[in-house]
Amino acid sequence: MPAFDAVVAGAGGFIGGHLVRALLAEGKTVRAVDIKPFDRWDQRHEAADNLSRDVGLLDAAREVLDGGAGEVYNLACNMGGMGFIETHKAECMLSVLPSTHMLMAARDAGVGRFFYSSSACVYAGYKQTDPNLTALKEEDAYPADAEDGYGWEKLFSERMCRHFREDFGLETRIARYHNIYGPEGTWDGGREKAPAAACRKVAIAALTGQPEVEIWGDGEQTRSFTYVDDCVHGTRMLTRGDFVDPLNVGSSEITTINNLYHVVAGIAGVDIKLKHIDGPLGVRGRNSDNTLIQKEFNWEPSISLREGLTSTYRWIHDQVARKLGK
């Protein structure tokens, strides 16, 4: 028997914390690992075996998988919203170290399944120049033109997972996440993604009575956003399934960034005035084509943007109010 039913690397991060919670709720024994000290974890669950380790180091990766595991979920990476990945490309590329060393340690420990969290940033930029784009199918990652830095590391690590499966028999599974959001995540400091930033800015407007909210660019760029509960369900489903190639885990409900802010403002019950400023924008349009995951698993993310933003806004509003002393 393996030492743990599941090992989650990157467990101190946003998705990792929710994933550990879900695995524990299944009755799994879970080892939760993150490079950050415990006081910086987004969530820490006492029922898990929690370790602060840098799995970018091979010895540490081998330590956390000592005794084996039924399932390994590798979510360990440097990441954030566009404001972060556009200005920290080398840091994002260095995520190849935990990607590589967790694969090597998992191979040597004889784990059952290895999940790798990839990203929609692997998709070719030349297919994402129009906000009214055709949704991205898994085949659209090639010919390759990934997001510089972050996307290239993800695409390379996808290939590593494939070859570890082909060459060593390690059962790897890959999800391409599309803009995961929800409560218990980063909401300020520069690494937050668009939904969290929108919730923070609208919360500040609601709490201070100042209606002006800044948005990078013209706000007409399009995205789909995936609520974390859908992400965690899809992650476990793919890990335990038989489909071996990368799959989109993303909502197909597309929206402009301007509309994202207006939806949050409607939830908050406030009027806002959008001020468009210069800033990093990423691709012009991106959406998830869910044809393949529907075919293979008869499933796709189903939590609506408004439903997901409602719980996200309430949580972030409380954090902002506490910070402002209101």
Side-chain angles (χ1 to χ4, degrees):
M1 293 290 292
F4 292 93
D5 295 324
V7 172
V8 179
F14 164 51
I15 300 172
H18 284 276
L19 177 59
V20 171
R21 181 192 297 274
L23 292 166
L24 290 170
E26 291 181 344
K28 303 286 189 185
T29 56
V30 181
R31 170 168 277 173
V33 185
D34 201 281
I35 189 174
K36 298 187 293 291
F38 290 146
D39 62 358
R40 290 177 52 206
W41 287 30
D42 290 336
Q43 299 182 63
R44 182 157 64 98
H45 305 285
E46 294 302 325
D49 179 58
N50 298 300
L51 296 177
S52 178
R53 299 287 189 278
D54 178 6
V55 295
L57 305 173
L58 181 56
D59 286 347
R62 286 177 169 154
E63 177 192 354
V64 303
L65 293 182
D66 185 38
E71 300 169 350
V72 172
Y73 297 87
N74 182 28
L75 284 70
C77 69
N78 263 312
M79 61 85 63
M82 284 308 304
F84 178 82
I85 66 175
E86 281 290 297
T87 55
H88 296 77
K89 293 176 182 177
E91 284 187 49
C92 290
M93 292 293 285
L94 285 171
S95 295
V96 74
L97 295 174
S99 300
T100 303
H101 291 149
M102 285 297 290
L103 279 167
M104 293 172 66
R107 174 199 62 191
D108 297 343
V111 304
R113 293 288 174 99
F114 184 99
F115 172 84
Y116 176 66
S117 60
S118 187
S119 166
C121 288
V122 303
Y123 284 114
Y126 55 79
K127 291 181 178 286
Q128 303 173 77
T129 59
D130 187 336
N132 302 307
L133 81 165
T134 302
L136 294 161
K137 296 184 177 184
E138 285 77 2
E139 64 199 50
D140 291 329
Y142 297 94
D145 180 29
E147 184 83 39
D148 198 14
Y150 180 75
W152 277 107
E153 188 279 322
K154 289 294 188 184
L155 192 60
F156 174 80
S157 292
E158 281 190 10
R159 303 294 295 192
M160 253 200 315
C161 287
R162 170 181 171 177
H163 297 312
F164 268 68
R165 176 175 52 82
E166 293 172 338
D167 293 359
F168 305 123
L170 178 61
E171 288 288 348
T172 57
R173 302 291 186 267
I174 301 165
R176 291 175 179 162
Y177 290 159
H178 285 249
N179 295 311
I180 314 303
Y181 73 99
E184 305 286 348
T186 301
W187 55 275
D188 68 351
R191 289 191 185 234
E192 68 276 13
K193 292 189 174 182
C199 289
R200 183 192 75 244
K201 293 174 187 179
V202 171
I204 291 171
L207 289 163
T208 65
Q210 299 297 320
E212 189 170 85
V213 173
E214 292 184 346
I215 296 182
W216 290 337
D218 64 6
E220 290 302 307
Q221 60 269 39
T222 54
R223 295 290 187 275
S224 64
F225 298 100
T226 311
Y227 191 64
V228 67
D229 288 358
D230 274 336
C231 171
V232 168
H233 177 83
T235 294
R236 290 175 291 152
M237 181 183 69
L238 264 63
T239 301
R240 297 161 187 171
D242 296 328
F243 192 79
V244 299
D245 293 324
L247 277 171
N248 284 331
V249 171
S251 170
S252 59
E253 182 184 355
I254 195 167
T255 183
T256 65
I257 300 300
N258 285 332
N259 185 62
L260 171 71
Y261 276 78
H262 287 304
V263 171
V264 176
I267 293 166
V270 298
D271 293 323
I272 59 172
K273 180 180 179 181
L274 301 181
K275 179 182 180 182
H276 297 96
I277 63 172
D278 291 337
L281 302 178
V283 296
R284 189 64 176 159
R286 177 182 291 155
N287 193 15
S288 178
D289 185 306
N290 292 335
T291 303
L292 188 55
I293 197 168
Q294 288 174 327
K295 175 186 175 184
E296 296 296 331
F297 290 96
N298 193 31
W299 179 86
E300 67 173 320
S302 60
I303 297 171
S304 71
L305 182 63
R306 184 173 185 86
E307 180 184 355
L309 284 173
T310 298
S311 59
T312 305
Y313 175 76
R314 289 171 179 165
W315 184 82
I316 291 177
H317 176 277
D318 290 346
Q319 313 311 307
V320 174
R322 191 174 297 114
K323 186 172 182 178
L324 295 178
K326 292 182 177 290

